[in-house]
Amino acid sequence: MKIAEGKIYYEQKPKLMLEELNSLQREKITVDPTKLKLKDDKDRLLLQVTNGSVKHYPVRRAFLYKLLKWYWFPTRLIYKLSTESIVSVCNDFLLNIKSDQVNVKIENDEALTITSMKYTDITDREILEMCVPFDIGSVSRSDFCMRMYGQKLLNAAPVVDDKCGFGFNILNSETGFRALGVYHYILRYICTNGAIAPVNGSSTYVHYDKSKKNILESLKKNLDKLEDSKLIIIKQLGRMQYAGGRKYLSNIKKSLEALLGLKETNNFVEKFEMSLSKKEQTKYDLFNYITNRAKLYDFGKRIAIEEIAGKLISLDVKEETNQN
């Protein structure tokens, strides 16, 4: 099956990223979902749009995954299906959308994503332009997510002889795969492992049924809170060396299973579980293990795994006990 792919950018300068975003040719088509149909064109996915006229657009991977995500269909299973089966499933999903209309975003004459009428469309370009005054150092981006790195890092050693840099990330997905959010970014210099942790416990804004103005105002407020909560993150990270890692493993596995599936999760944690049979590992050891393994994954999954590691910073024994 041939699916169109958008360009992936790694750690671009903000000015260059803005130039790339400004060069994109885009349009938004508002249409009855029953007027949409996926077609198999010699093993290539096309979207047929009947909206006054009939047009065909190559389907980007983001569009396919977003449509499947609409009905919580596990995207990792599509590689077990034929193109014919995928087309059939997607067309059934389109026919079962309850809304009278949906929005289809077209980018460079390819179908990029599909969203509901209640989706708050906040583009990566708008976020990047708004955040330039906050000293953005670099930007990574795919069809699924944009990640902005704050340029300045506060250096600290929460654990002796393990110096880390503490900055911030801003994450957005204009195609509907994650909320807009502000996160602390932790970089271990010794091995370049990274992790992200929410500001003040929660700092994400879902692109749904909210005004763009309110979302952007909330984003600015949390950017202003970054410095106040940075010292808390450093202290929490330091305390992790005094907690056992074994008790947190089941919680981590649950989060990873939702992202990777059972088999891949077992492979992911196998070496850490083996190390537990030799000696006790700390919560900090588990944190470092997860962030190191995250580097083996693609852009989107790496962010998700680094986020799982970041949540481990504030997770304590009492909290995990209440969850089980």
Side-chain angles (χ1 to χ4, degrees):
M1 179 175 61
K2 299 174 184 176
I3 308 175
E5 302 279 2
K7 189 174 179 180
I8 300 178
Y9 302 86
Y10 291 101
E11 299 187 17
Q12 293 283 310
K13 292 296 182 183
K15 183 179 179 180
L16 294 177
M17 191 72 254
L18 272 175
E19 289 175 358
E20 290 286 334
L21 293 173
N22 286 329
S23 71
L24 296 174
Q25 297 178 358
R26 286 186 164 178
E27 65 173 306
K28 184 169 68 174
I29 301 172
T30 301
V31 62
D32 183 334
T34 63
K35 304 298 183 181
L36 302 174
K37 185 176 182 180
L38 258 67
K39 301 186 74 175
D40 177 4
D41 178 34
K42 298 179 180 178
D43 210 34
R44 181 179 67 150
L45 285 184
L46 294 179
L47 176 68
Q48 177 179 290
V49 181
T50 306
N51 193 26
S53 60
V54 179
K55 293 186 177 181
H56 294 89
Y57 303 93
V59 170
R60 290 254 189 107
R61 189 174 300 277
F63 181 97
L64 174 62
Y65 283 19
K66 183 62 173 62
L67 179 56
L68 295 175
K69 183 175 178 280
W70 201 303
Y71 289 92
W72 303 98
F73 186 93
T75 56
R76 63 179 179 273
L77 297 182
I78 66 173
Y79 303 101
K80 298 181 181 294
L81 301 176
S82 66
T83 303
E84 182 181 3
S85 296
I86 291 170
V87 167
S88 178
V89 167
C90 287
N91 285 332
D92 284 343
F93 284 175
L94 287 168
L95 289 172
N96 279 281
I97 291 176
K98 304 300 181 185
S99 175
D100 292 334
Q101 291 185 313
V102 294
N103 288 319
V104 175
K105 185 178 287 187
I106 305 298
E107 181 178 283
N108 294 342
D109 290 323
E110 295 175 339
L112 174 64
T113 192
I114 177 171
T115 57
S116 77
M117 299 303 292
K118 290 188 176 182
Y119 182 79
T120 306
D121 190 13
I122 303 177
T123 66
D124 291 341
R125 184 177 65 180
E126 289 174 297
I127 297 297
L128 185 51
E129 288 176 336
M130 188 198 81
C131 293
V132 167
F134 291 93
D135 199 14
I136 303 301
S138 63
V139 183
S140 296
R141 185 182 183 274
S142 72
D143 282 351
F144 296 88
C145 181
M146 179 178 72
R147 182 177 195 173
M148 297 189 292
Y149 293 83
Q151 185 161 269
K152 294 181 180 178
L153 295 177
L154 171 65
N155 293 328
V159 174
V160 177
D161 296 327
D162 193 357
K163 186 180 287 188
C164 300
F166 294 84
F168 70 89
N169 276 180
I170 299 170
L171 302 180
N172 185 50
S173 174
E174 61 178 65
T175 47
F177 288 88
R178 68 172 303 126
L180 170 65
V182 183
Y183 297 83
H184 291 289
Y185 176 64
I186 303 104
L187 174 66
R188 288 184 70 218
Y189 291 128
I190 194 171
C191 54
T192 66
N193 291 357
I196 54 175
V199 175
N200 294 335
S202 177
S203 53
T204 58
Y205 315 98
V206 178
H207 295 242
Y208 187 78
D209 205 19
K210 294 180 181 178
S211 76
K212 181 184 296 189
K213 180 181 177 181
N214 289 343
I215 292 176
L216 295 179
E217 286 177 352
S218 297
L219 175 66
K220 287 182 179 179
K221 288 179 182 178
N222 266 298
L223 282 167
D224 291 332
K225 294 176 183 177
L226 277 166
E227 294 305 316
D228 294 336
S229 57
K230 192 173 290 182
L231 294 178
I232 296 173
I233 289 291
I234 294 172
K235 289 180 181 178
Q236 289 176 321
L237 195 61
R239 294 192 194 108
M240 291 169 67
Q241 64 183 310
Y242 304 112
R246 186 189 301 269
K247 66 176 73 73
Y248 297 94
L249 189 56
S250 62
N251 186 284
I252 291 298
K253 289 175 73 172
K254 289 177 185 176
S255 298
L256 288 172
E257 282 177 23
L259 175 68
L260 304 175
L262 179 60
K263 183 178 179 180
E264 192 171 347
T265 295
N266 287 336
N267 292 334
F268 187 104
V269 301
E270 182 181 17
K271 288 185 179 179
F272 188 82
E273 290 179 322
M274 289 175 62
S275 68
L276 288 172
S277 64
K278 299 175 182 177
K279 66 174 184 177
E280 182 57 44
Q281 301 290 322
T282 68
K283 186 182 181 185
Y284 193 68
D285 291 327
L286 178 58
F287 172 81
N288 291 334
Y289 178 85
I290 297 167
T291 53
N292 186 55
R293 294 280 297 181
K295 293 188 292 186
L296 301 175
Y297 288 83
D298 63 28
F299 177 71
K301 285 184 179 178
R302 177 171 180 172
I303 293 174
I305 295 170
E306 289 184 358
E307 188 172 8
I308 290 170
K311 290 178 180 178
L312 186 63
I313 296 172
S314 58
L315 180 66
D316 58 29
V317 178
K318 182 178 180 181
E319 182 179 352
E320 187 189 28
T321 301
N322 290 339
Q323 289 178 350
N324 290 335

